[in-house]
Amino acid sequence: MNYDIIVIGSGPGGYVTAIRAAQLGFKTAIIEKESLGGICLNWGCIPTKALLKSAQVFHYINHAEDYGLNKVEGSFEFPNVIQRSRGVANKMSKGIEFLMKKNKIDVILGTAKVQKGKKVSVTDKDGKATEYTGTHIIIATGARSRELPNLPQDGKKVIGYRQALSLPEQPKSMIVVGSGAIGVEFADFYNTMGTKVTVVEFMPNIVPVEDEEISKHLEKSLKKTGIEIMTNASVESVDTSGEGVKATVKTAKGNITLEADIVLSAVGIAANIENIGLEEVGIQTDKGRVLVNEWYETSVPGYYAIGDIIPTQALAHVASAEGITCVEKIKGMHVEKIDYGNIPGCTYCHPEVASVGLTEKQAKEKGYEIKVGKFPLSASGKATANGNTDGFIKVIFDAKYGEWLGCHMIGEGVTDMVAEAVVARKLETTGHEIIKSIHPHPTVSEAIMEAAAAAYGEVIHI
Ligand SMILES: Cc1cc2nc3c(=O)[nH]c(=O)nc-3n(C[C@H](O)[C@H](O)[C@H](O)COP(=O)(O)OP(=O)(O)OC[C@H]3O[C@@H](n4cnc5c(N)ncnc54)[C@H](O)[C@@H]3O)c2cc1C
């Protein structure tokens, strides 16, 4: 019942923290009320990518002729596509169970609540409460789909991401509210499978955190695939009384009514800060997130928080990195603070989007004199061989010292390429060093080297 470290929540924040803690010799327990792996493995990163893979394979089958193959008419049973995605998620969750055993971490199933005196009370599914004590308590309870007051989710006609990942039937039409990574990925999946999709975005651009040129290019690409996109538009109300849903959408030209089988609300997340004992212990929150310092200590000594519950980027790799930093600091190791300016962000629609660092607008706002280089994938041999030439690479360097300020990519496979920019930026690599780093041919990654060369007037293939 006494542990060095108790972790609450087993998402990519919690389970990674627990493994690192066990590696460092701490007696560790992890508490989970639902499924090991949290949102990421069960209802987020992994099952969405499984659905998108099915959609991509379906797309390739239907475009077999583009590759010199005989024409094929792809077909599918929607429940089987969902079942594959659920199977992938379940397999990953089982993998976490194995990792917990391997690292001798006690898994406690139940709902946790922190208490004063570094105690945690856990209520199991039969309502039985047990108390545990930890020298250090790390809260990683994550987040859930955010609900807007004018877009209440009933789980049937107005749904969140969990239902979108497990619908029993494919809707004929869908309105996706919000065009961040989650909204755009679902829009791409459902559209590719044949659902008529309309995306409604409040901001002037879709994927609003991305560089404007990337957002504009993605909008064009998605429109070409048949997705209808409305920017500068907001859903004011929904009427679910009829067979489908009628959504009143405010646009610059006035209100219009859209009709669809289903509305997917993808307007962000709300942190799980309720009923976990924060007020009783005196842990401070602000704007719905737990406040922490750079070592993830909350306002009360001995209690820490990481992942989606704190006000940093809500991404799986951020949650994991925060957990590792947190326990290494507890151990007394010499730890580097996380550089939140060097976190890659990826959207796995088709074409994919990946970026790290400053956008062109941000770089200019910060007063940098910049050199910008771009390279279209239509000039890449590998992208042409792949039949995926839609997209480009954009790199931004500081004109004075050559610092790589930002890398923005759109195209097939770019989510697997962005790590190059992350490492290079971490090592303070300059533009010229990128140009002189020989990239393998033929790969799409050559486009990064060429984009860097374009910034310095040395590009070869355009
Ligand atoms: C549809 C979707 C797609 C996504 N795709 C990506 C992606 O491609 N890449 C990416 O980086 N991120 C992605 N994310 C975001 C990513 O899933 C989150 O950033 C990540 O899961 C956060 O990890 P976490 O450990 O903080 O919390 P979570 O993963 O939310 O885990 C928290 C865990 O705590 C448990 N818990 C909560 N309260 C209690 C309690 N009182 N007692 C015990 N257990 C409790 C929950 O059951 C849950 O298992 C996606 C999210 C969604 C919704």
Side-chain angles (χ1 to χ4, degrees):
M1 300 297 173
N2 294 317
Y3 291 93
D4 298 323
I5 299 223
I6 297 179
V7 184
I8 304 176
S10 72
Y15 85 76
V16 170
T17 306
I19 293 173
R20 187 71 187 116
Q23 285 174 348
L24 293 171
F26 290 120
K27 186 182 173 204
T28 306
I30 190 161
I31 308 166
E32 174 54 55
K33 69 172 184 179
E34 215 185 311
S35 307
L36 289 178
I39 293 301
C40 177
L41 269 63
N42 296 287
W43 297 105
C45 325
I46 302 299
T48 48
K49 296 344 162 240
L51 290 184
L52 285 161
K53 193 68 200 178
S54 294
Q56 189 189 36
V57 172
F58 182 55
H59 175 86
Y60 277 138
I61 290 170
N62 287 331
H63 290 80
E65 277 180 309
D66 297 349
Y67 294 86
L69 308 174
N70 292 343
K71 190 176 166 64
V72 199
E73 196 81 356
S75 66
F76 61 92
E77 301 298 326
F78 188 72
N80 294 346
V81 175
I82 294 289
Q83 203 185 345
R84 172 178 182 270
S85 163
R86 299 316 307 150
V88 171
N90 290 339
K91 190 173 172 200
M92 298 308 293
S93 182
K94 288 250 157 52
I96 304 300
E97 205 179 308
F98 162 78
L99 288 175
M100 294 300 104
K101 268 196 202 119
K102 181 186 161 210
N103 287 283
K104 302 190 173 49
I105 295 161
D106 286 352
V107 175
I108 301 163
L109 296 177
T111 302
K113 211 169 169 178
V114 290
Q115 295 177 333
K116 279 194 172 153
K118 293 198 242 170
K119 291 192 176 80
V120 181
S121 142
V122 182
T123 308
D124 69 14
K125 62 178 184 344
D126 302 319
K128 186 174 161 258
T130 310
E131 206 174 81
Y132 300 87
T133 311
T135 312
H136 306 276
I137 295 165
I138 303 176
I139 306 166
T141 51
R144 60 186 181 275
S145 176
R146 179 171 153 233
E147 280 200 56
L148 294 179
N150 53 346
L151 202 56
Q153 295 176 21
D154 61 12
K156 292 200 162 66
K157 288 186 187 170
V158 182
I159 61 171
Y161 56 79
R162 285 194 188 224
Q163 292 84 26
L165 281 163
S166 54
L167 285 177
E169 268 176 51
Q170 183 182 1
K172 286 197 175 60
S173 53
M174 178 184 265
I175 299 166
V176 178
V177 186
S179 72
I182 295 176
V184 163
E185 287 182 12
F186 278 117
D188 182 37
F189 165 70
Y190 277 102
N191 175 64
T192 308
M193 303 309 277
T195 298
K196 172 80 199 106
V197 175
T198 306
V199 174
V200 179
E201 170 56 53
F202 177 71
M203 303 292 281
N205 294 312
I206 61 165
V207 283
V209 297
E210 299 296 344
D211 188 274
E212 223 171 287
E213 274 188 89
I214 299 282
S215 298
K216 294 268 184 244
H217 189 101
L218 182 66
E219 185 174 334
K220 250 194 240 155
S221 298
L222 293 182
K223 277 181 172 165
K224 257 191 227 158
T225 68
I227 298 178
E228 202 172 310
I229 296 179
M230 299 171 69
T231 50
N232 289 311
S234 57
V235 172
E236 297 294 288
S237 61
V238 283
D239 174 3
T240 55
S241 60
E243 223 177 80
V245 192
K246 280 186 186 159
T248 305
V249 180
K250 189 177 161 192
T251 72
K253 292 181 188 145
N255 283 3
I256 59 160
T257 305
L258 295 179
E259 289 187 46
D261 288 349
I262 275 186
V263 171
L264 166 62
S265 174
V267 292
I269 53 165
N272 294 324
I273 56 167
E274 303 84 359
N275 307 317
I276 55 170
L278 298 180
E279 300 80 7
E280 290 87 330
V281 176
I283 294 172
Q284 279 177 15
T285 60
D286 184 44
K287 298 188 188 98
R289 303 279 167 111
V290 176
L291 290 179
V292 290
N293 65 11
E294 68 263 55
W295 306 117
Y296 310 101
E297 293 166 315
T298 69
S299 53
V300 180
Y303 297 82
Y304 309 76
I306 58 148
D308 279 7
I309 197 175
I310 66 168
T312 51
Q313 291 107 311
L315 292 167
H317 40 289
V318 172
S320 301
E322 289 172 345
I324 291 172
T325 306
C326 178
V327 281
E328 289 184 349
K329 185 71 184 168
I330 290 172
K331 183 71 180 175
M333 291 168 67
H334 176 74
V335 194
E336 230 179 278
K337 285 179 211 165
I338 291 179
D339 174 3
Y340 287 99
N342 199 27
I343 306 279
C346 296
T347 304
Y348 299 79
C349 54
H350 298 95
E352 295 177 350
V353 171
S355 64
V356 64
L358 301 177
T359 62
E360 185 171 346
K361 192 165 167 234
Q362 287 166 341
K364 284 181 181 158
E365 279 167 2
K366 281 186 180 282
Y368 285 104
E369 203 187 308
I370 54 173
K371 278 190 182 294
V372 177
K374 276 183 251 172
F375 190 80
L377 296 188
S378 54
S380 152
K382 185 65 180 292
T384 307
N386 287 346
N388 292 317
T389 52
D390 185 20
F392 64 94
I393 310 292
K394 173 175 176 178
V395 291
I396 302 164
F397 295 104
D398 167 37
K400 204 166 168 193
Y401 300 112
E403 183 188 351
W404 196 352
L405 298 174
C407 179
H408 307 276
M409 314 198 266
I410 179 162
E412 200 50 49
V414 296
T415 55
D416 281 319
M417 291 182 355
V418 71
E420 169 178 343
V422 178
V423 175
R425 279 164 45 79
K426 170 94 181 146
L427 299 175
E428 300 183 0
T429 308
T430 64
H432 267 107
E433 287 166 330
I434 294 297
I435 302 169
K436 298 295 175 204
S437 303
I438 300 161
H439 287 56
H441 179 75
T443 61
V444 185
S445 74
E446 288 170 288
I448 297 178
M449 180 177 68
E450 289 272 42
Y456 289 90
E458 299 173 22
V459 65
I460 302 293
H461 288 99
I462 47 173

